[in-house]
Amino acid sequence: MNIGRVLDNIRTELRDRQTKIEDTFKFIRDIKGDKKCGDHAILQNPNTGELILRISRKTDDREQAKTLFHRYNSRMQASCPAILRCIDFSMKHENAWCSNFFYFNVYFEYPFHDLESEMKRKLQDRVRFTHEELTEIFYQALDGLCFFQNEMNGHGKLQAFSIFFDENNRMFKVSEYFLGMPRGDYFKFLYLEKGGIKIFAPELVEFLQRRSVVIDDSKLDMFHLGLILLALGLCNDLSCLYDRTKFGMNLEELKKLILSFKDIYEAQNPLLVSIVEGLLVVDPSKRALPIETRKMIPSYYSFIQVISKNLVQSENEFH
């Protein structure tokens, strides 16, 4: 079978695609989400209690509809375990008043636990994330970002609440659809709203002021991942990084936070500290992309073996 020809046919022909998923799962309620991605709702299987996420959107642009169809089709077939699983999708085409409308429903596994909620829980319990947990989060999130770099040229809006924890499979999963703040509200979220981890790279802060800055979404993602690890490791919402009077990032404060992170984790896990420092390179032109980073670092299992060996040596030296 010529896969390229099949994909070309998908791009040029738009046929209705049906799913029987809503024969089993019933609408429960609408939920807040990124409106640019569509309307979000919770569906539930009344027999098992299982929840799923439905995202609904429409477009009257045929080219955009082709792009979405191809994206959702690829997303459903993706085998990457570090992204939120797409279960199915449907598309319906209607003609009305000399216009074409394309209606999409996309169904995902329901994201129960996000990293921001987990950090709040740890703060209440006065417990830090261990270096093992941070290492696991980094590697799995990096896998997710590599997927998005390949498929969409980057995620572009990574936040602590767009990384979810699948307790059953002990997997951290990145989602491009999150139940939080829309991208258009970044400025308000950063400077006006209280609460929540503040995750904004310097180039994004600059973009919010001038709108003329060109942003590489994948490099933005890497800085955001560094900030997320910093926030989780320090149990700090990072609000101290953003100057509410000058509307900019306080780079001196960032250096202090990195030093604090280093003081806590370097003895146990110097590789983790080195990775976080590498992610938090302020100049985007000197910041590595997800796929480049994955090639430069050891595999997760090699990483863990090195850390375990270092800890054993330290204990022997102590005794």
Side-chain angles (χ1 to χ4, degrees):
M1 179 185 291
N2 188 321
I3 300 298
R5 186 175 298 170
V6 171
L7 292 178
D8 284 342
N9 288 338
I10 289 173
R11 292 189 187 102
T12 54
E13 295 182 21
L14 278 175
R15 297 175 181 173
D16 285 3
R17 188 182 193 280
Q18 297 180 345
T19 176
K20 294 184 178 181
I21 202 162
E22 293 205 34
D23 292 346
T24 305
F25 288 83
K26 307 302 178 185
F27 173 82
I28 299 296
R29 62 184 174 87
D30 292 315
I31 52 176
K32 181 182 177 182
D34 188 343
K35 283 290 185 181
K36 291 186 178 181
C37 296
D39 296 319
H40 296 55
I42 300 175
L43 278 63
Q44 185 177 44
N45 184 327
N47 296 320
T48 65
E50 180 186 359
L51 300 178
I52 61 173
L53 172 66
R54 182 187 70 193
I55 297 174
S56 304
R57 66 185 299 177
K58 71 174 182 178
T59 179
D60 59 358
D61 185 322
R62 178 174 288 273
E63 290 306 311
Q64 184 185 34
K66 290 178 185 177
T67 300
L68 291 173
F69 192 103
H70 175 58
R71 179 184 300 169
Y72 296 147
N73 193 59
S74 298
R75 190 71 170 75
M76 191 178 70
Q77 297 177 43
S79 58
C80 177
I83 59 173
L84 202 66
R85 182 170 60 92
C86 180
I87 302 167
D88 206 349
F89 79 98
S90 66
M91 190 206 76
K92 186 177 181 181
H93 173 217
E94 290 184 357
N95 292 313
W97 300 99
C98 300
S99 297
N100 289 298
F101 292 96
F102 301 89
Y103 297 87
F104 289 90
N105 283 324
V106 194
Y107 305 91
F108 290 86
E109 61 179 315
Y110 189 76
F112 281 98
H113 307 290
D114 64 76
L115 282 185
E116 183 165 310
S117 301
E118 184 65 11
M119 191 187 100
K120 289 176 181 176
R121 185 185 68 78
K122 295 234 179 200
L123 272 171
Q124 290 177 348
D125 296 341
R126 297 188 177 183
V127 177
R128 293 186 188 280
F129 281 80
T130 65
H131 71 91
E132 294 96 340
E133 288 173 321
L134 294 177
T135 301
E136 197 171 11
I137 291 167
F138 164 72
Y139 270 92
Q140 292 177 10
L142 181 65
D143 281 347
L145 293 181
C146 287
F147 171 84
F148 287 114
Q149 183 185 344
N150 267 327
E151 292 294 312
M152 300 163 52
N153 294 320
H155 185 288
K157 51 188 177 183
L158 188 71
Q159 295 287 324
F161 51 74
S162 60
I163 301 177
F164 299 96
F165 182 52
D166 178 352
E167 288 185 306
N168 293 329
N169 299 304
R170 187 152 185 80
M171 282 293 301
F172 292 95
K173 300 186 176 187
V174 180
S175 173
E176 68 272 48
Y177 304 107
F178 52 86
L179 315 181
M181 153 216 67
R183 186 168 188 167
D185 289 341
Y186 267 2
F187 191 83
K188 176 183 174 185
F189 176 78
L190 179 56
Y191 292 113
L192 302 179
E193 291 188 5
K194 295 181 179 179
I197 306 173
K198 309 298 186 184
I199 304 295
F200 296 90
E203 64 265 33
L204 182 55
V205 175
E206 190 177 352
F207 171 80
L208 291 170
Q209 296 174 45
R210 297 196 293 146
R211 302 285 174 178
S212 59
V213 179
V214 177
I215 291 179
D216 183 321
D217 280 349
S218 284
K219 290 192 173 184
L220 180 76
D221 293 335
M222 295 301 278
F223 197 93
H224 282 194
L225 179 55
L227 287 178
I228 289 169
L229 294 172
L230 197 65
L232 298 177
L234 299 177
C235 282
N236 187 316
D237 69 3
L238 305 187
S239 57
C240 60
L241 287 180
Y242 305 100
D243 191 321
R244 293 170 182 269
T245 57
K246 297 180 181 178
F247 297 105
M249 174 175 273
N250 188 328
L251 298 181
E252 289 302 314
E253 196 65 36
L254 176 62
K255 290 178 184 177
K256 291 178 184 177
L257 292 178
I258 293 173
L259 285 175
S260 297
F261 186 90
K262 191 173 183 178
D263 289 342
I264 296 169
Y265 294 104
E266 187 169 44
Q268 297 173 308
N269 197 330
L271 287 174
L272 173 65
V273 172
S274 176
I275 282 171
V276 169
E277 289 176 328
L279 293 171
L280 294 174
V281 172
V282 173
D283 184 351
S285 67
K286 298 178 181 178
R287 200 182 304 151
L289 292 162
I291 294 174
E292 291 173 343
T293 300
R294 189 161 62 180
K295 291 177 180 177
M296 291 188 293
I297 62 175
S299 70
Y300 173 72
Y301 295 105
S302 299
F303 194 115
I304 293 302
Q305 287 175 351
V306 170
I307 296 305
S308 300
K309 188 182 295 185
N310 288 344
L311 288 176
V312 170
Q313 288 175 350
S314 297
E315 288 176 2
N316 291 338
E317 290 170 5
F318 178 77
H319 293 297

